[in-house]
Amino acid sequence: MGIVYKNFYSVCFLSNETLLMFKRGAFYILDIPSSKFKKIAQIQFSFKEKIVHTLPLMARIFRMGIRCGMKISDDIVLYVLKNKIYELNLTNGSISNGFSTHDKSRPLIFTQIKKLVGFDKGIYFGGYLSNQKRQAVSIYKRVSKDKWNVVYEFPEGKIEHIHNIIADKYSNSVFILTGDFNQAAGIWIAKDNFSSVTPLLLGNQNYRACVAYPTPKGLIYATDTPFTENSIRILINTNEDKWISKKIQTINGPSIYGCEWNDEFIFSTSVEGDGRKQSIFYKLFGRKPGIGVKSDFSCVYKGDLEKGFKEIYRVRKDTMPFFLFQFGVLCFPSGINRSRYLPMFHIATKKHSMSTYIFEE
């Protein structure tokens, strides 16, 4: 059971029962129990952009809309639009001029570090971009409005991009998840304000991940690979100070998105093609899924180490090509969710595509 908000993207939780929503250039605050909206800001789009936003398939081709967002204070939300980071003031509806990285990378997700020994508190992100030549990739920290500084740079030849940065209060460390292929796929650990960044596990698709959750027993994560079996796993530091990855259970496909829902962890799976194929024909018309995708359903798993993980929701991918019209995925608003609701933004699905579905168990 649930309710659908057509063409609305759920950006982030503002409180347990309110969401920041985005639709065709406008920001709204949604009170979930009452389904009431309050418009708070409007982006000034060009005429062409306005037309594209009204055509869902065109919006998918041109990757229109917000890519990710995060509430960083009572009145400021960061969001990414067209590879640029903006700041929305929730109080007066103003929007900053924005920030662009030198290489046009963007965050796949923002990370907040606080009360972590050896690290300055703040908002961080790692550069996410298509980078087959493995040029240098940076980690950024927010200094002030529209100002970000580079705090670390992976040298040329090491990785293609950064999926996520995970602050772990249990080990006073920061884990860095990188992708995608060969030695670029891996899990790194940072210490002392990124002055020390060393690899833990590299060169295997079991170490390629986007979503991870620190726990006292280790780092729970799900793999993100289209061409081998995917699983929920745990990264453990053994008594010999050796890091190992153990499988908890297999899942239906690659996992790009997740969230914390009350005291449990959420992973969603994607339906996508084999990322190693680069021909123009395949990019335009390819509809054959990678062998790591078990079915044409995007699935949501919920659980923890004690109870295990179970599938709670699934939706079928639509029939459109993977790369031109995007993967079949389920995204979640940022922020720890302490409500009875699980908002899910659908992309390239047969039901609710480009809309937010509010799921209730």
Side-chain angles (χ1 to χ4, degrees):
M1 298 294 293
I3 186 168
V4 179
Y5 295 102
K6 190 172 178 61
N7 298 319
F8 277 96
Y9 174 76
S10 45
V11 181
C12 62
F13 275 93
L14 301 179
S15 70
N16 286 342
E17 295 188 335
T18 58
L19 282 171
L20 180 66
M21 306 283 275
F22 179 80
K23 180 179 181 180
R24 296 173 181 169
F27 288 97
Y28 302 82
I29 295 176
L30 168 65
D31 180 78
I32 303 175
S34 68
S35 294
K36 291 183 178 180
F37 284 90
K38 177 185 177 182
K39 185 176 179 180
I40 61 168
Q42 177 73 51
I43 296 173
Q44 298 303 314
F45 283 146
S46 67
F47 177 76
K48 179 181 177 180
E49 288 173 324
K50 290 178 181 178
I51 295 298
V52 172
H53 269 280
T54 63
L55 303 171
L57 288 180
M58 293 296 290
R60 283 164 58 179
I61 291 174
F62 289 103
R63 275 49 176 177
M64 303 296 286
I66 290 180
R67 309 299 292 182
C68 67
M70 183 183 192
K71 178 185 174 185
I72 63 170
S73 69
D74 288 341
D75 58 354
I76 299 297
V77 169
L78 302 175
Y79 70 89
V80 178
L81 184 68
K82 294 188 292 187
N83 295 338
K84 198 170 183 180
I85 301 171
Y86 296 91
E87 303 194 10
L88 167 66
N89 188 303
L90 299 171
T91 302
N92 60 27
S94 64
I95 296 171
S96 71
N97 293 326
F99 168 82
S100 295
T101 64
H102 68 280
D103 58 3
K104 302 302 180 183
S105 64
R106 64 173 177 85
L108 187 59
I109 188 171
F110 292 104
T111 297
Q112 184 173 39
I113 295 178
K114 58 181 180 180
K115 298 181 180 179
L116 201 63
V117 176
F119 287 88
D120 294 333
K121 68 178 181 179
I123 310 300
Y124 296 77
F125 76 88
Y128 183 76
L129 72 166
S130 178
N131 186 19
Q132 296 177 26
K133 294 182 179 179
R134 296 190 182 176
Q135 297 175 343
V137 180
S138 298
I139 293 175
Y140 299 83
K141 178 183 181 294
R142 181 180 180 270
V143 178
S144 58
K145 184 170 72 172
D146 289 346
K147 184 176 181 181
W148 298 74
N149 285 347
V150 173
V151 296
Y152 180 77
E153 183 177 82
F154 282 93
E156 184 177 351
K158 289 293 184 182
I159 66 171
E160 285 141 34
H161 49 235
I162 297 170
H163 289 152
N164 205 346
I165 298 169
I166 310 294
D168 181 7
K169 65 180 181 181
Y170 303 104
S171 65
N172 277 311
S173 302
V174 170
F175 294 101
I176 306 168
L177 310 180
T178 65
D180 277 333
F181 306 109
N182 302 318
Q183 292 298 113
I187 302 173
W188 302 65
I189 191 167
K191 298 278 190 179
D192 300 325
N193 267 336
F194 298 95
S195 63
S196 169
V197 176
T198 55
L200 299 181
L201 297 171
L202 299 178
N204 187 298
Q205 293 294 290
N206 284 333
Y207 314 144
R208 174 179 166 179
C210 296
V211 186
Y213 307 103
T215 75
K217 294 183 178 180
L219 187 73
I220 299 175
Y221 71 94
T223 59
D224 164 43
T225 174
F227 49 85
T228 62
E229 181 181 71
N230 286 274
S231 57
I232 298 173
R233 310 181 68 87
I234 183 167
L235 178 71
I236 301 171
N237 190 357
T238 67
N239 293 331
E240 298 82 19
D241 205 30
K242 177 183 178 182
W243 293 85
I244 60 173
S245 175
K246 289 186 175 181
K247 183 170 76 171
I248 298 173
Q249 70 180 64
T250 59
I251 54 178
N252 193 62
S255 181
I256 305 173
Y257 300 103
C259 67
E260 292 186 50
W261 189 17
N262 293 310
D263 296 322
E264 295 181 287
F265 306 121
I266 298 291
F267 297 100
S268 68
T269 64
S270 63
V271 181
E272 58 184 88
D274 188 322
R276 297 168 294 185
K277 297 180 179 179
Q278 300 296 329
S279 71
I280 295 297
F281 180 86
Y282 186 76
K283 285 186 174 182
L284 292 177
F285 306 109
R287 292 175 52 195
K288 183 179 180 180
I291 60 174
V293 180
K294 291 185 175 182
S295 74
D296 60 351
F297 284 89
S298 293
C299 304
V300 176
Y301 296 84
K302 182 185 78 164
D304 56 31
L305 282 177
E306 286 68 35
K307 292 179 288 188
F309 290 83
K310 65 177 182 178
E311 181 185 308
I312 60 170
Y313 180 81
R314 60 168 42 204
V315 62
R316 191 183 297 274
K317 166 78 171 73
D318 65 16
T319 59
M320 306 303 290
F322 294 115
F323 290 94
L324 185 61
F325 290 96
Q326 301 192 44
F327 302 157
V329 296
L330 300 166
C331 313
F332 308 97
S334 66
I336 297 175
N337 182 353
R338 300 296 185 193
S339 74
R340 67 179 190 270
Y341 311 104
L342 181 63
M344 297 182 278
F345 182 72
H346 293 52
I347 300 176
T349 54
K350 283 198 170 181
K351 293 197 306 182
H352 316 322
S353 184
M354 307 307 286
S355 300
T356 292
Y357 172 69
I358 307 288
F359 173 85
E360 291 185 67
E361 279 193 301

